[in-house]
């Protein structure tokens, strides 16, 4: 892509160009040809590899026969955020990784086909599903991200009156605010929100549970609660200099680029991004597109321990991001005006010893301290847990990870179910949009069972 020159000012046009969706998607001819490569396997392994169990051969067959509504419905039936997932799922580790054609030639491009079908639905304005007959029961959902929307949709299809409480002004969670728009435009996430709203789900935005509405009020008003509040911003690193001007939280940085013209510019700046997960990659590539002259990722371990996916790593390299492995930040250096001028680091080495997490332990190399000259530092070392909210609900947790029954999402309080990032961590799954969507569904089905006495949830019906 063509980036803005570091010497020019950032104009709205340049912003549109740098932050528009990078992947062009398939043409009709390309989609039909790709669909016709599918072997439509009996007992298809890709279905099992998709956390939401989308009937992949079925949606692909419908593309081949030009039934795009049917195709989109097959996808969205299993995955209420299927249009977003088409863009952000690590497909090579999930559905495409399981495709039998991996051994013969190349896997079917399931993500791109999923995008082709769901784009049709987004552009046609069609409403795919309808609400169930009201059953008189009420459910509150805390958080309007993928997990909360998914739970809300399935409950609405079963006739529950659902209210989603969302702290931000727009629902959609990290799909709307956190994942860079050149991979996932906000409009796609907002279409998914609208699909849920059109089922009669009330989405009360700008309302923070525990602040604007109390937990006691929720308990009094609803028959069940789904806690899907995700995680927070990035925790502090705990090193000197974090309050300097030019130090940014990675998630906040990405967020400024999702909602329009960013308030932040990195034109011509040298940027260090601390971390090596999804958030760090998104922050690094975002910094490039915000006009940074040079972006370095700083990570205390090596490439093999980084948690970002391969496709993200490759994308970042293509964008010109540099990687500084085995480098530990010690202090952010500033000038007398309080602006960042450097990042003091120490070189690390692997000892061959493994830590509690099974990964090789890095240790500092004595006397190897150096200062990396930078104008901005972006901290991307994970996300804070929502311990305050969890404790105000009186739920059992492990360092901010809500304890649940993994099949149903039921918490230590039988009235409250939890789903999504708020239950991920410490080996308990991986924070992905598609898993959050499935957990939201699981919580909804468990509530249906608990409140309706149904045995199993064949939920809702299509329009
Ligand atoms: C930068 C970044 C990049 C990522 N990239 C990918 C990717 O490429 N692929 C992928 O699969 N996953 C990716 N992820 C992870 C993915 O975004 C999350 O796993 C997913 O969004 C979790 O969904 P959720 O609904 O649990 O939480 P969230 O999406 O965080 O939604 C939770 C919602 O709850 C709201 N909320 C919080 N507290 C309250 C309260 N007290 N009252 C009311 N509302 C509240 C929040 O405002 C938020 O909207 C990425 C994450 C980040 C941060
Ligand atoms: S939701 Fe994700 S894992 Fe499932 S089929 Fe679609 S792209 Fe693959």
């Amino acid at each position: 892509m063509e980036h803005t020159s570091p010497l020019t000012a950032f104009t709205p046009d340049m912003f549109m160009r740098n932050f528009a969706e990078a992947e062009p998607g398939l043409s009709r001819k390309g989609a039909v040809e790709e669909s016709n490569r599918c072997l439509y396997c009996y007992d298809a392994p890709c279905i099992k590899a998709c956390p939401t169990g989308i009937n992949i051969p079925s949606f692909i067959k419908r593309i081949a026969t030009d039934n795009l509504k049917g195709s989109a419905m097959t996808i969205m039936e299993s995955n209420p955020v299927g249009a977003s997932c088409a863009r952000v799922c690590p497909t090579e580790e999930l559905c495409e990784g399981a495709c039998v054609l991996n051994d013969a030639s190349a896997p079917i491009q399931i993500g791109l086909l999923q995008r082709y079908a769901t784009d049709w639905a987004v552009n046609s304005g069609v409403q795919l599903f309808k609400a169930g007959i009201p059953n008189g029961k009420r459910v509150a959902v805390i958080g309007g991200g993928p997990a909360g929307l998914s739970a809300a949709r399935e409950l609405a299809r079963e006739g529950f009156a659902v209210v989603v409480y969302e702290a931000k002004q727009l629902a959609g969670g990290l799909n709307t605010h956190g994942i860079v728009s050149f991979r996932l435009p906000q409009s796609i996430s907002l279409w998914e929100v609208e699909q849920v709203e059109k089922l009669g789900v009330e989405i009360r935005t700008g309302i923070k549970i525990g602040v604007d509405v109390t937990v006691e009020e929720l308990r009094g008003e609803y028959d069940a609660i789904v806690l899907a509040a995700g995680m927070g911003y990035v925790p502090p690193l705990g090193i000197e200099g974090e309050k300097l001007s030019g130090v940014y939280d990675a998630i906040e940085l990405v967020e400024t680029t999702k909602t329009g013209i960013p308030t932040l510019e990195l034109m011509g700046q040298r940027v260090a991004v601390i971390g090596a997960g999804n958030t760090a990659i998104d922050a690094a590539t975002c910094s490039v597109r915000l006009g940074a002259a040079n972006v370095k990722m700083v990570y205390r371990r090596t490439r093999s321990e980084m948690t970002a996916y391969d496709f993200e790593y490759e994308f970042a390299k293509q964008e010109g991001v540099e990687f500084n492995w085995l480098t530990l930040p010690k202090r952010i250096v500033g000038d007398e005006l309080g602006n960042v001028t450097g990042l003091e680091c120490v070189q690390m080495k692997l000892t061959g010893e493994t830590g509690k997490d099974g990964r090789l332990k890095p240790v500092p190399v004595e006397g190897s301290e150096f200062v990396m000259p930078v104008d901005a530092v972006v901290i991307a070392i994970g996300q804070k847990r929502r311990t305050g909210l969890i404790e105000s609900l009186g739920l059992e947790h492990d360092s901010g990870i809500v304890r649940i029954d993994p099949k149903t999402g039921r918490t230590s309080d039988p009235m409250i179910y939890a789903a999504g990032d708020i239950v991920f961590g410490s080996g308990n799954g991986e924070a992905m949009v598609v898993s959050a969507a499935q957990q939201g569904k699981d919580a909804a089905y468990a509530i249906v069972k608990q409140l309706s006495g149904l045995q199993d949830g064949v939920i809702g019906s299509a329009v």
Side-chain angles (χ1 to χ4, degrees):
M1 68 150 301
E2 179 201 337
H3 296 300
T4 53
S5 148
L7 297 174
T8 52
F10 213 86
T11 65
D13 270 5
M14 287 167 178
F15 174 71
M16 293 302 289
R17 221 171 37 233
N18 281 7
F19 287 89
E21 189 162 18
E23 165 65 55
L26 293 171
S27 63
R28 181 173 181 274
K29 182 169 173 288
V32 171
E33 276 173 14
E34 189 64 6
S35 305
N36 283 323
R37 284 180 63 230
C38 182
L39 303 177
Y40 306 114
C41 305
Y42 173 74
D43 208 13
C46 54
I47 302 179
K48 292 198 189 85
C50 169
T52 54
I54 293 177
N55 189 334
I56 296 163
S58 168
F59 95 69
I60 291 181
K61 183 119 209 168
R62 289 179 157 111
I63 293 178
T65 55
D66 228 2
N67 174 5
L68 292 184
K69 182 175 180 193
S71 181
M73 283 181 67
T74 306
I75 295 161
M76 298 298 291
E77 168 75 40
S78 296
N79 186 340
V81 290
S84 292
C85 279
R87 294 160 160 90
V88 303
C89 272
T91 50
E92 73 275 22
E93 310 212 359
L94 300 172
C95 50
E96 290 176 18
C99 178
V100 296
L101 289 175
N102 273 296
D103 298 331
S105 53
I108 300 293
Q109 294 182 301
I110 298 169
L112 280 175
L113 287 172
Q114 181 166 321
R115 173 170 159 191
Y116 181 75
T118 51
D119 274 357
W120 175 87
V122 173
N123 296 327
S124 69
V126 67
Q127 171 64 21
L128 296 174
F129 303 98
K130 66 175 185 190
I133 298 160
N135 63 19
K137 304 266 194 254
R138 290 169 60 75
V139 180
V141 177
I142 308 175
L149 289 174
S150 184
R153 190 195 78 170
E154 294 304 74
L155 287 163
R157 293 177 73 198
E158 201 51 31
F160 288 80
V162 186
V163 178
V164 176
Y165 293 91
E166 169 52 53
K168 291 197 182 281
Q169 293 305 325
L170 291 174
L174 289 168
N175 287 359
T176 296
H177 297 283
I179 303 179
V180 286
S181 52
F182 41 91
R183 286 203 292 126
L184 175 58
Q186 200 178 52
S187 57
I188 301 298
S189 172
L190 295 181
W191 175 78
E192 289 166 342
V193 172
E194 193 186 279
Q195 286 282 306
V196 175
E197 261 181 318
K198 282 185 176 164
L199 297 175
V201 170
E202 194 187 331
I203 304 188
R204 296 189 192 161
T205 56
I207 307 267
K208 191 168 185 182
I209 298 301
V211 176
D212 306 303
V213 171
T214 65
V215 164
E216 290 67 38
E217 283 173 86
L218 286 192
R219 283 187 189 280
E221 231 186 286
Y222 297 94
D223 299 291
I225 296 171
V226 178
L227 173 61
M231 294 187 272
Y233 287 112
V234 180
L237 262 177
I239 61 173
E240 193 186 320
E242 282 186 81
K243 296 259 184 292
L244 288 168
S245 169
V247 180
Y248 304 104
D249 172 314
I251 297 176
E252 278 180 309
L253 181 134
V254 174
E255 197 170 338
T256 63
T257 66
K258 286 283 278 191
T259 44
I261 304 299
T263 44
L264 169 76
E265 282 189 11
L266 296 173
M267 201 60 78
Q269 297 200 5
R270 299 158 300 174
V271 179
V273 178
I274 302 174
N278 311 116
T279 309
I281 296 271
D282 273 8
T285 51
C286 234
S287 301
V288 172
R289 286 161 185 255
L290 281 169
N294 176 269
V295 180
K296 289 186 168 66
M297 289 186 62
V298 177
Y299 183 46
R300 69 191 175 109
R301 299 174 183 269
T302 69
R303 159 85 186 89
S304 9
E305 288 93 26
M306 83 187 278
T307 52
Y309 300 115
D310 284 346
F311 79 90
E312 291 177 310
Y313 174 57
E314 291 306 324
F315 178 63
K317 278 199 304 187
Q318 276 168 31
E319 294 275 297
V321 174
E322 295 169 19
F323 289 81
N324 284 58
W325 308 117
L326 289 169
T327 308
L328 177 74
K330 300 255 296 182
R331 178 170 74 100
I332 304 170
V333 186
D335 60 17
E336 60 288 353
L337 297 175
N339 297 317
V340 170
T341 56
L343 182 66
E344 185 182 318
C345 302
V346 62
Q347 215 57 64
M348 306 292 278
K349 65 174 181 199
L350 297 175
T351 52
E353 232 182 281
T354 47
K356 272 191 204 143
D357 58 3
R359 298 190 293 178
L360 286 173
K361 256 191 185 163
V363 293
V365 177
E366 215 175 300
S368 65
E369 287 80 3
F370 67 99
V371 175
M372 187 184 284
V374 292
D375 311 296
V377 172
V378 183
I379 303 177
I381 50 153
Q383 289 175 262
K384 284 185 203 149
R385 310 299 313 199
R386 299 212 190 270
T387 314
L389 176 64
I390 296 165
E391 288 183 349
S392 70
L393 287 159
L395 303 179
E396 288 177 13
H397 67 94
D398 300 300
S399 311
I401 303 165
V402 179
R403 272 193 213 149
I404 53 160
D405 164 21
K407 278 211 184 95
T408 59
R410 196 163 166 169
T411 66
S412 53
D413 181 331
M415 181 192 186
I416 305 178
Y417 291 76
D421 278 1
I422 202 152
V423 305
F424 288 127
S426 296
N428 189 15
E430 212 175 316
M432 285 189 293
V433 175
V434 66
S435 338
Q438 182 56 33
Q439 290 201 331
K441 282 164 57 188
D442 291 343
Y445 302 155
I447 291 172
V448 171
K449 262 190 180 177
Q450 187 185 334
L451 297 183
S452 320
L454 281 181
Q455 273 317 294
D456 225 328
V458 179
I459 305 281
S461 50
V463 168

